[in-house]
């Protein structure tokens, strides 16, 4: 019985997402997108001159 409860708790913890962790991943994605756009725009601008 105790082992089953421990396994159920571990499954619940694995499925549960931390709000801070989600926020960090979203912000990292946004910053990566901005870096790619900045590099592309710089390349386009340098080729136009």
């Amino acid at each position: 019985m105790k082992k089953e409860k421990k396994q159920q708790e571990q499954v619940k913890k694995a499925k549960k997402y931390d709000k801070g962790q989600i926020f960090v991943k979203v912000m990292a994605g946004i910053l990566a997108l901005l870096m790619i756009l900045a590099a592309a725009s710089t390349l386009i601008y340098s080729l136009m001159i």
Side-chain angles (χ1 to χ4, degrees):
M1 291 293 268
K2 290 183 180 180
K3 288 182 181 179
E4 290 177 5
K5 287 183 181 179
K6 286 182 182 179
Q7 287 177 350
Q8 287 176 353
E9 288 177 8
Q10 288 176 351
V11 170
K12 286 181 183 178
K13 287 181 183 178
K15 290 183 181 178
K16 198 174 189 181
Y17 291 106
D18 185 22
K19 290 180 183 178
Q21 193 176 21
I22 294 172
F23 177 74
V24 168
K25 288 184 180 184
V26 169
M27 287 302 293
I30 291 171
L31 290 174
L33 181 65
L34 285 175
M35 287 192 303
I36 292 169
L37 290 175
S41 63
T42 303
L43 179 64
I44 291 169
Y45 180 75
S46 65
L47 291 174
M48 287 175 48
I49 293 178

